[in-house]
Amino acid sequence: MKAATGPRDRPGEARLLVIDAAGGALRDARFADLAALLDPGDLLVVNDAATLPASFPGRLRGEPVELRLAAWLDADRFEAVLFGAGDWRTRTEDRPAPPLAAAGDSIELPGFRFGIEEREGARLCRGRFDLAGDALVRALLAAGRPVQYAHLRAPLAPWDVQTLWAGRPWSMELPSASFPFTFELLAAL
């Protein structure tokens, strides 16, 4: 199987695995076929989370790092993963470890900072930004990039990681199960 190298030009063409409820038989379909596969009364649940640009270049004690948000824990507290020098063009497993950091250290980001409160292992940490509320969301949107990986051929744009009904920005990566929906499919549903 070959990995995707960029956003799908025709999301409705995404593959969909269909499991027969009666006998368990498997078959391939296209996501655009979803409306024909549902019966009246079926419930369809979708993820309406907008995707934050959750990857930030920064510096920890003067050394380059990437702060990659993993979870929004509460109003102003986040869980994040730290990477050493490099960017998305380098496979995640090949990225160097970040400088060793401890509670009380800060990561300098473009226009704001992230204070580390807890550290687990070489990469996982929890902490807070020095901004809150709307100011924080504006800073995240201005300074961040979408999280992406080395198998892609070009940088992702913010619209490459949003669904049709993206609402409040709290997802750190593309809610992939909702991404293949198109306006045509919504009309058919």
Side-chain angles (χ1 to χ4, degrees), residues 124-139:
L124 187 65
C125 65
R126 290 173 201 85
R128 298 176 198 279
F129 290 99
D130 63 347
L131 299 173
D134 290 343
L136 173 58
V137 172
R138 281 193 298 278

Side-chain angles (χ1 to χ4, degrees), residues 69-155:
L69 300 180
W72 198 327
L73 301 174
D74 60 40
D76 63 350
R77 193 159 188 264
F78 289 80
E79 186 166 72
V81 178
L82 296 177
F83 293 93
D87 62 19
W88 64 270
R89 291 172 185 87
T90 303
R91 292 180 337 147
T92 303
E93 58 271 24
D94 295 336
R95 293 284 297 273
L100 198 53
D105 284 340
S106 287
I107 298 171
E108 299 294 325
L109 303 165
F112 59 120
R113 78 175 48 100
F114 181 80
I116 297 172
E117 296 177 338
E118 301 173 53
R119 182 78 186 255
E120 283 185 34
R123 297 186 191 270
L124 187 65
C125 65
R126 290 173 201 85
R128 298 176 198 279
F129 290 99
D130 63 347
L131 299 173
D134 290 343
L136 173 58
V137 172
R138 281 193 298 278
L140 295 174
L141 293 172
R145 307 179 298 260
V147 170
Q148 69 180 85
Y149 300 95
H151 64 272
L152 299 175
R153 66 179 176 270

